[in-house]
Amino acid sequence: NYAGGYEESAKQVVELERAGLDLAWVAEAYSFDAVTYMGYLAAKTSTVHIGSGILPIYSRTPTMLAQTAAGLDFVSDGRAILGLGTSGPQVIEGFHGVRFDRPIQRTREVVEICRRVWRREVTEYDGACYTLPLPPEQGTGLGKPLKLLAHPVRSSIPVYIASLGAKNVELTAEIADGWLPVFFSPARIGLYRAALEEGFARRAPGLAPPTAFDIAPTVVVICGPDVRACRAQVKPRLALYVGGMGARGRNFYNDLACRYGYEADARRIQDLYLAGKREDAIAAVPDALVDEIALCGPRERIRDRLAAYREAGVTTLICATGQPDTVRMMAELVL
């Protein structure tokens, strides 16, 4: 949250660290890069883990991602978490000018290469998306296999993957240390069970067992006496993602709302948003959808709704809120 400036935001993290905050996540999207601020937070804190939430896999080479994570782990004394995701075609092709292709295979190869770099193995890799060194016919022919010069603090840095589709969730359960679902509804965990189990069945012996796999959804939390007013603070973000974060027929968040059973609402939100009727799109977001993916209202209402997240297997709750006092409240409620 950069709304109050980076210094104020960092001050809040330091205060929340004293109150028991476990993790601080820094988003990137197409705003400031996440890494610079993560390094700043590392210098200001001492115990809180700092995660990238998320770095798009297309915006940096796999070895650059590995170097970055190792560098953050170094300056934080082993507190870094590498959160990765594909983002979407609008951002990757529009902002980065990189082709959005083979997202699942590319994610697998990025993670494999990162782990080789952290183990200080010579970076030779022959994949469908990445080949190291670059073949002579694709470059000068002077590329040579190298390994990381520095010795990382940890040879295995936690990797979390943001995924929505069944195949991506399956891959996440197979190769990652944690899952970062967005717009997560505990009532819909059944939609993901088969994919999670398929991935766990192929999990490599060297990784932590499925019982240690961290399900860490980002949940908007707005605390206040008026439930309707709290919901109103969530609806603009939902309208943006369901309606405008992607083209018609290629919007992952709209697809997710449809999978949740809100096909007609999702279509209407998208029609209004793409027609430039932003306020109408916000008004079209149903209260029921907000209640599925966010925690809104008085402390007691939020407390009672937390049980559903525990029952769904959530092990880490990432609170998206502009209310520092609400983070403290959540820390008390989950203990």
Side-chain angles (χ1 to χ4, degrees), residues 4 22 39 218 237 284 291:
D22 298 307
T218 296
R237 184 168 182 260
D291 282 341

Side-chain angles (χ1 to χ4, degrees), residues 233-317:
Q233 297 184 53
V234 180
K235 290 187 178 185
R237 184 168 182 260
L238 264 175
L240 167 63
Y241 278 79
V242 174
M245 197 63 77
R248 196 182 302 278
R250 195 74 184 274
N251 181 322
F252 305 136
Y253 311 101
N254 191 284
D255 293 344
L256 183 65
C258 290
R259 289 172 63 198
Y260 283 1
Y262 296 90
E263 293 93 341
D265 295 299
R267 190 180 311 113
R268 176 167 170 73
I269 293 166
Q270 186 175 62
D271 287 344
L272 290 167
Y273 208 99
L274 296 181
K277 300 177 181 179
R278 181 174 176 273
E279 294 304 318
D280 291 338
I282 293 171
V285 175
D287 290 347
L289 178 57
V290 175
D291 282 341
E292 286 211 37
I293 60 91
L295 292 167
C296 297
R299 176 189 174 105
E300 295 73 21
R301 186 175 191 268
I302 291 173
R303 179 200 61 205
D304 293 344
R305 296 173 71 84
L306 279 174
Y309 288 87
R310 295 189 182 97
E311 292 168 6
V314 170
T315 42
T316 298
L317 195 73

Side-chain angles (χ1 to χ4, degrees), residues 23-26 28 34-35 38 49-57 59-73 76 78-85 107-118 154 156-162 172 175-180 318:
L23 295 165
W25 295 86
V26 182
E28 183 166 280
V35 178
M38 290 173 70
H49 287 76
I50 303 166
S52 56
I54 57 160
L55 299 183
I57 60 170
S59 61
R60 300 161 176 87
T61 65
T63 44
M64 184 71 251
L65 285 165
Q67 285 179 285
T68 299
L72 287 166
D73 212 43
S76 67
R79 293 184 285 132
I81 295 175
L82 180 59
L84 298 173
T107 300
R108 178 186 294 278
E109 294 186 14
V110 165
V111 174
E112 287 178 355
I113 293 170
C114 281
R115 287 179 170 145
R116 291 187 184 192
V117 171
W118 298 330
R154 291 182 291 176
S156 180
I157 296 169
V159 175
Y160 283 51
I161 297 176
T172 301
I175 69 171
D177 299 286
W179 176 34
L180 298 170
I318 302 173

Side-chain angles (χ1 to χ4, degrees), residues 62-198:
T63 44
M64 184 71 251
L65 285 165
Q67 285 179 285
T68 299
L72 287 166
D73 212 43
F74 173 67
V75 299
S76 67
D77 195 22
R79 293 184 285 132
I81 295 175
L82 180 59
L84 298 173
T86 60
S87 186
Q90 281 193 325
V91 173
I92 299 307
E93 296 189 0
F95 191 67
H96 293 289
V98 176
R99 182 185 175 92
F100 188 88
D101 65 345
R102 310 187 74 168
I104 296 175
Q105 180 63 28
R106 195 174 292 275
T107 300
R108 178 186 294 278
E109 294 186 14
V110 165
V111 174
E112 287 178 355
I113 293 170
C114 281
R115 287 179 170 145
R116 291 187 184 192
V117 171
W118 298 330
R119 293 193 298 264
R120 297 193 72 243
E121 296 177 5
V122 174
T123 52
E124 292 182 287
Y125 191 85
D126 185 15
C129 299
Y130 299 101
T131 304
L132 298 172
L134 194 68
E137 63 273 15
Q138 295 181 29
T140 63
L142 300 176
K144 61 180 294 185
L146 299 170
K147 66 179 179 181
L148 191 68
L149 281 172
H151 289 259
V153 174
R154 291 182 291 176
S155 60
S156 180
I157 296 169
V159 175
Y160 283 51
I161 297 176
S163 51
L164 290 175
K167 288 298 182 183
N168 242 333
V169 172
E170 188 177 316
L171 176 73
T172 301
E174 179 189 348
I175 69 171
D177 299 286
W179 176 34
L180 298 170
V182 68
F183 300 136
F184 176 83
S185 168
R188 312 287 178 173
I189 188 63
L191 295 174
Y192 300 107
R193 287 291 186 202
L196 289 169
E197 293 303 324
E198 285 287 334

